[in-house]
Amino acid sequence: MDDEYAKFIRRMNPPRVVIDNDACEQATVIQVDSINKHGILLEVVQVLTDLNLIITKAYISSDGGWFMDVFNVTDQDGNKLRDEGVINYIKRSLETNDCFLPSLRGTVGVMPTKEHTSIELTGTDRPGLLSEVCAVLADLHCNVVNAEIWTHNARAAAVVHVTDEFTGCAIEDPKQLSTIKELLCYVLKGNNDIRTAKMMVSPPGVTHRERRLHQMMFDDRDYEKVDRVGVGRTDEDNKLRPEVALLDCFEKDYTVVMMRSKDRPKLLFDTLCTLTDMQYVVFHGTVKTGRMEAYQEYYIRHVDGLPISSEAERHRVTQCLQAAIERRVSEGLELELFTEDRVGLLSDITRIFRENSLCIKRAEISTKGGKAKDTFYVTDVSGNAVDPKILDSICREIGQTVLRVKRNSSLSPKPPPETTGFLFGNLFKARTFQNFRLIRSYS
């Protein structure tokens, strides 16, 4: 009965979206008003980030039964949104209740759809892992049509979409799926995996790929410190981690979460994924970016209505938010591959990387219209910058016009940790509930 009543209320009060190009000089302002429900903030942000829009500011308020958000957004070049097709798509997507579909939370391993089979993998990261996975798939006559691979804190997660080499369709044969699972789990486990590699066969379903990667790494507890010798973070690494602080707001019965980190695309989406999947509700918030840094402040409670009450829970939330920010950080050298697609291409490319002692930290694989467009973020096996001589050798072997260097993030200057901490600490002391006055303003 409660569900039916909630549906009736939503039908009577559909979401309302106002997109304004005149309210702010630097950005397009998007205001979303809707009946409140758990996860709606993440769903709205997901629509914007899937369009590769940059959110420069956000003001959040959802006290009571109503949700109101204001976002300042630009395109990737820093310009306002002028494309009527994009503007209309945003309004259609956000004003349609049907677009707000719950994300699947359960573990999914091999998931057939009509077009492809989705393979989800988690295990211990090590040099050459992706190459081994791709080699197994090629040997089993699986063609990789797109994929995304993340690594963090010695763990690895991947969502890989494959088709049958001979039919070009999804793989549905239970025996073949069982063989894929068995061999990939063997590869993922390796010789000394302290945790169980995961890959399960599951019924078809729909989920957001990047949201799913966050869930997989969270379930794999990648936020925990790795204590094995030679693996984990140095003291210097810890100094440069995203800064997260949790404070009590007794007069309003909230927990205040404040984060400061280097700014990057999809940062807001990543932190909201973690808060939502940890069953926290954001009641108020402010997001600001500028000078390559991002500041996020949220007033939260658990879905049971209570603020964070224990030191253990406080520590876990801090760890999980730091991990959410770090998972998508682009370490090392960014390489882009663009060429004619063929069966086994990804296996050949990753084998060349492995033979030249390159470690893939993150990868995005896509194919369209017979073309393969892949992006790899690589370091050497020690996590350092790639030797230019090795890079030249790889480019010659693959093809100078096929593989090119896009960016070397390892050469980006990092702010002195002491200065950052000092500024962050003073900023915390200055923040109060006065931030909520910003919700009334678009700029």
Side-chain angles (χ1 to χ4, degrees), residues 48-67:
L48 300 178
T49 54
D50 282 351
L51 291 170
N52 293 318
L53 301 182
I54 306 300
I55 300 173
T56 59
K57 291 182 182 180
Y59 308 114
I60 300 158
S61 180
S62 63
D63 259 344
W66 197 257
F67 164 87

Side-chain angles (χ1 to χ4, degrees), residues 16-20 29-33 68-71 442:
R16 185 173 69 92
V17 179
V18 177
I19 301 179
D20 192 339
V29 176
I30 300 176
Q31 179 177 332
V32 183
D33 298 286
M68 192 277 281
D69 254 14
V70 177
F71 301 95
Y442 280 359

Side-chain angles (χ1 to χ4, degrees), residues 7-19:
K7 291 178 183 177
F8 172 75
I9 294 297
R10 282 198 295 272
R11 284 196 299 269
M12 296 298 294
N13 298 275
R16 185 173 69 92
V17 179
V18 177
I19 301 179

Side-chain angles (χ1 to χ4, degrees), residues 17 69 112 115 278 285 298 301 316 326 360 374 426 442:
V17 179
D69 254 14
E115 297 180 351
M278 293 183 76
Y298 302 119
R301 296 188 191 121
R316 184 166 181 260
E326 292 172 335
I360 298 173
D374 306 338
N426 286 347
Y442 280 359

Side-chain angles (χ1 to χ4, degrees), residues 109-120 143 145-146 160-164 169-173 177 180:
V110 179
M111 185 171 62
T113 69
K114 290 182 179 180
E115 297 180 351
H116 58 252
T117 299
S118 180
I119 298 176
E120 298 184 354
N143 184 39
V145 293
N146 58 71
V160 185
H161 294 166
V162 300
T163 58
D164 184 90
C169 300
I171 301 168
E172 299 180 345
D173 179 21
L177 292 174
I180 292 171

Side-chain angles (χ1 to χ4, degrees), residues 248-311:
D248 295 317
C249 180
F250 296 109
E251 61 268 31
K252 296 291 184 177
D253 212 24
Y254 291 125
T255 296
V256 186
V257 179
M258 292 179 283
M259 292 171 278
R260 183 173 178 176
S261 65
K262 184 177 178 180
D263 189 29
R264 59 167 176 77
K266 302 189 178 183
L267 178 63
L268 177 58
F269 172 81
D270 293 338
T271 54
L272 290 178
C273 271
T274 292
L275 287 173
T276 302
D277 286 335
M278 293 183 76
Q279 300 298 300
Y280 292 103
V281 178
V282 176
F283 286 87
H284 299 282
T286 303
V287 177
K288 289 186 176 183
T289 64
R291 295 185 179 180
M292 304 300 294
E293 285 189 326
Y295 177 80
Q296 302 176 71
E297 178 181 296
Y298 302 119
Y299 291 77
I300 69 169
R301 296 188 191 121
H302 197 266
V303 289
D304 60 11
L306 298 176
I308 295 174
S309 57
S310 71
E311 192 57 37

Side-chain angles (χ1 to χ4, degrees), residues 171-279:
I171 301 168
E172 299 180 345
D173 179 21
K175 184 176 181 181
Q176 187 178 3
L177 292 174
S178 177
T179 302
I180 292 171
K181 177 183 176 182
E182 179 182 357
L183 293 180
L184 286 182
C185 281
Y186 180 79
V187 168
L188 287 166
K189 186 173 182 180
N191 296 325
N192 57 352
D193 193 351
I194 61 174
R195 303 183 193 175
T196 304
K198 295 179 182 177
M199 181 178 170
M200 297 178 64
V201 178
S202 177
V206 178
T207 190
H208 187 272
R209 187 170 69 186
E210 294 171 351
R211 173 92 184 270
R212 186 68 189 128
L213 282 164
H214 275 297
Q215 292 173 347
M216 291 162 63
M217 297 208 83
F218 174 80
D219 290 342
D220 203 35
R221 306 174 74 89
D222 73 311
Y223 52 85
E224 293 182 340
K225 182 180 178 181
V226 178
D227 295 323
R228 288 176 292 155
V229 176
V231 179
R233 294 183 173 275
T234 65
D235 291 339
E236 188 64 23
D237 290 331
N238 287 324
K239 289 180 182 178
L240 296 173
R241 296 197 76 179
E243 297 190 61
V244 179
L246 275 66
L247 305 175
D248 295 317
C249 180
F250 296 109
E251 61 268 31
K252 296 291 184 177
D253 212 24
Y254 291 125
T255 296
V256 186
V257 179
M258 292 179 283
M259 292 171 278
R260 183 173 178 176
S261 65
K262 184 177 178 180
D263 189 29
R264 59 167 176 77
K266 302 189 178 183
L267 178 63
L268 177 58
F269 172 81
D270 293 338
T271 54
L272 290 178
C273 271
T274 292
L275 287 173
T276 302
D277 286 335
M278 293 183 76
Q279 300 298 300

